[in-house]
Amino acid sequence: MRDHVPALAGDRIARTEVSRQLALAEERLTRTLGGLLDVRGSAAVGIRWRDRDGERQFASSRSFVSHLSDLCDRAFSLCPRVSNELINRRTLSTAAARARSLLIEALATNADQPGLGLSSQNTPPERAIYLSVLQKGGIHVQREGRWEVRIPEGGEDRLNFAPALNAIARILKPVGYEVLATRLRGTDFGMRDGLIPLVIAIYLRATWHETAVYEDGTYLEQVGGPEFTRITKEPEHFEFQHCAIEGVRAELYVQLGAALETRLSERPALLDIVRPLMTFVGKQLPDHSRRTRRLSPATLAARGALLSGRDPSALLFTDLPKAFDIEAIGPE
């Protein structure tokens, strides 16, 4: 309801109240179902269970719970296997939410450091989550002397994160945060809300050179803990987009990288070029230079494109060429 009623989109107070009422209703439903389906002790012995495998009865509550566990394993076979209950919950405690935010911030800023630069003294909760998810899952690894966040593959995917991370990649067109979250909650994944922001943050860090994030249409240079706090509170304001380069655009990418003296990724990544340009114009260019009209028409058009750019691909291959009376550059 809160995600599909247009009237709630701009009313934070109403959304908060709806969320509270939904939580109360869910709690009442859980209590009611718990009373009807009490499988403790000998209660499960009299249960007649039907599913796609047929009908069966159980000799004990243990056998019944084991069967339910097998069904869930099949239904949510693509879900990451995270045993840390600090993060793998529907609703996080205040301390766990803060730990998740600190971990996401470390992902955004310290991916090149051992342990993401998190304090190891007394193992604070953010480090405990790091150890049980990113380290154990083969997500934050050292390669050729450098630490990096990557999408694990094959036998290195010890916690089954690859299916969820690859599912995110398939639907970035661009797409809103809530669409991603709904996919991860849904069929095959069944992911809990406490884990979803961290999984999306992992994907962003692993594919940062080719994934753009927008808040109300404005490109975000960095997406860390504070940004994800806003994302989880007001997801309708955020969009994610995959930025790919192919064909003749890849050749131009190399030439632009050389001209701008920019360090390029091994794989062509559009944002390697766009980020420095937008950062320079948006943050490093003096205020007078951003406002003056005493420039050539082409320079004014280029500055305008950089200041108002929303789509990195359109900016680099359509808007900037147009500013200099050059035809848009297609992929072929």
Side-chain angles (χ1 to χ4, degrees):
M1 175 180 175
R2 63 188 168 194
D3 301 324
H4 302 289
V5 177
L8 294 176
D11 192 334
R12 182 183 300 178
I13 295 176
R15 286 201 310 276
T16 301
E17 177 61 20
V18 168
S19 296
R20 190 179 72 85
Q21 293 295 334
L22 285 173
L24 290 173
E26 184 176 343
E27 183 182 351
R28 288 194 293 269
L29 177 62
T30 300
R31 286 202 305 268
T32 302
L33 289 177
L36 295 173
L37 189 60
D38 187 351
V39 297
R40 294 171 295 182
S42 60
V45 176
I47 291 177
R48 296 175 63 188
W49 180 268
R50 291 186 180 91
D51 56 36
R52 65 183 182 183
D53 295 328
E55 181 178 316
R56 66 179 67 194
Q57 287 186 295
F58 301 92
S60 66
S61 62
R62 176 176 292 182
S63 61
F64 177 61
V65 171
S66 177
H67 181 65
L68 286 181
S69 178
D70 291 341
L71 289 177
C72 288
D73 285 343
R74 282 158 46 183
F76 305 116
S77 59
L78 301 184
C79 188
R81 296 186 291 271
V82 176
S83 58
N84 188 313
E85 294 187 1
L86 276 173
I87 188 75
N88 196 9
R89 304 177 67 90
R90 295 192 185 281
T91 304
L92 299 188
S93 67
T94 301
R98 181 177 182 275
R100 183 183 65 187
S101 180
L102 291 173
L103 180 56
I104 289 174
E105 181 66 17
L107 267 172
T109 57
N110 299 328
D112 59 345
Q113 297 182 27
L116 296 180
L118 296 168
S119 172
S120 59
Q121 187 174 3
N122 299 324
T123 312
E126 59 271 18
R127 179 164 173 80
I129 298 171
Y130 165 81
L131 293 173
S132 61
V133 176
L134 279 85
Q135 185 183 89
K136 186 177 180 181
I139 293 168
H140 191 223
V141 297
Q142 188 177 32
R143 285 186 171 179
E144 299 178 356
R146 293 178 55 194
W147 285 91
E148 63 180 26
V149 174
R150 56 80 185 260
I151 297 176
E153 299 177 352
E156 296 177 337
D157 187 19
R158 296 184 290 272
L159 298 183
N160 200 41
F161 269 94
L165 295 171
N166 290 328
I168 293 173
R170 287 192 292 271
I171 57 177
L172 292 185
K173 294 187 176 178
V175 67
Y177 172 85
E178 194 54 40
V179 174
L180 295 178
T182 299
R183 177 70 184 98
L184 296 177
R185 292 188 197 106
T187 306
D188 298 328
F189 295 103
M191 202 176 297
R192 292 170 175 166
D193 285 346
L195 184 60
I196 288 173
L198 179 58
V199 171
I200 294 176
I202 289 170
Y203 176 83
L204 284 181
R205 182 65 266 179
T207 63
W208 186 239
H209 292 291
E210 53 193 41
T211 306
V213 183
Y214 301 89
E215 181 176 7
D216 291 327
T218 299
Y219 171 76
L220 297 181
E221 182 184 352
Q222 179 174 300
V223 182
E227 289 76 20
F228 263 93
T229 297
R230 299 201 302 274
I231 287 172
T232 54
K233 289 182 177 179
E234 298 183 314
E236 67 275 10
H237 294 286
F238 293 84
E239 281 193 336
F240 300 76
Q241 181 179 2
H242 176 70
C243 302
I245 301 179
E246 55 188 12
V248 70
R249 290 180 171 183
E251 298 177 17
L252 177 62
Y253 161 83
V254 175
Q255 295 176 22
L256 285 172
L260 296 172
E261 299 182 351
T262 298
R263 180 180 177 180
L264 302 178
S265 307
E266 293 180 6
R267 293 173 53 188
L270 178 62
L271 296 178
D272 283 346
I273 301 295
V274 174
R275 277 199 181 102
L277 286 173
M278 297 182 77
T279 300
F280 172 72
V281 173
K283 294 186 176 182
Q284 299 175 5
L285 202 64
D287 187 64
H288 170 74
S289 299
R290 288 201 302 271
R291 296 176 181 276
T292 183
R293 305 297 300 175
R294 300 177 63 181
L295 299 169
S296 69
T299 304
L300 287 172
R303 185 187 65 184
L306 287 166
L307 287 173
S308 62
R310 296 293 182 266
D311 182 338
S313 181
L315 171 66
L316 198 59
F317 300 120
T318 301
D319 299 339
L320 286 178
K322 183 179 178 181
F324 296 98
D325 291 326
I326 300 173
E327 290 186 6
I329 301 168
E332 299 299 332

